[in-house]
Amino acid sequence: MMLRELVVENLFGELTHRISFKTEDGLTLLHGTNGVGKTMTLRALDNLFNKKFRTLRNLPLTALQVEFDNGDRLQVAKKALGGKQISIVLEFILNQKASLSETWTYRPARYEI
């Protein structure tokens, strides 16, 4: 399974990037001026696929979405939960082409309601 597309939303509070991966060629280049989020986009991918959810939660973006070449799509969005104090959690939604979607939430170990 290979990546087909990545969308990073509201990066630095203002930028949204849509990157199509060239799976036929096996190479995709990211280029742009300083400060547009090239490194932050790669960090987001690294944190997602290496299960560094606490670090992913702290990146300056509100959501990301990855689509795979088999049609599956994973969406990750930050959500604020209230209570005694506001806590930011990650909501994951996996839409598989062959079945229904699944949703789960990452809450940090010190989460309080």
Side-chain angles (χ1 to χ4, degrees):
M1 190 167 31
M2 295 181 65
L3 282 178
R4 180 186 298 162
E5 184 176 73
L6 168 69
V7 179
V8 179
E9 297 179 19
N10 207 22
L11 184 61
F12 305 125
E14 61 185 83
L15 303 170
T16 295
H17 295 301
R18 181 177 301 273
I19 301 165
S20 296
F21 291 89
K22 307 298 180 193
T23 55
E24 307 84 34
D25 301 332
L27 179 66
T28 300
L29 299 176
L30 296 180
H31 64 89
T33 59
N34 289 343
V36 296
K38 300 177 299 290
T39 301
M40 207 56 66
T41 297
L42 294 173
R43 280 189 186 144
L45 270 179
D46 175 62
N47 290 328
L48 176 63
F49 290 123
N50 288 303
K51 302 176 191 169
K52 301 176 189 175
F53 300 138
R54 183 179 297 267
T55 306
L56 178 61
R57 190 176 129 260
N58 293 323
L59 292 181
L61 54 90
T62 57
L64 63 97
Q65 177 178 289
V66 291
E67 185 176 329
F68 300 94
D69 60 353
N70 69 351
D72 292 354
R73 180 180 305 233
L74 177 63
Q75 298 169 287
V76 183
K78 289 184 183 179
K79 302 284 182 181
L81 296 181
K84 293 181 181 177
Q85 66 185 102
I86 301 293
S87 182
I88 304 296
V89 299
L90 295 177
E91 180 180 74
F92 294 81
I93 301 171
L94 176 62
N95 294 303
Q96 294 179 306
K97 189 175 181 181
S99 66
L100 299 174
S101 66
E102 298 177 43
T103 302
W104 69 97
T105 302
Y106 166 77
R107 290 178 172 87
R110 295 184 193 177
Y111 175 74
E112 292 181 333
I113 295 178

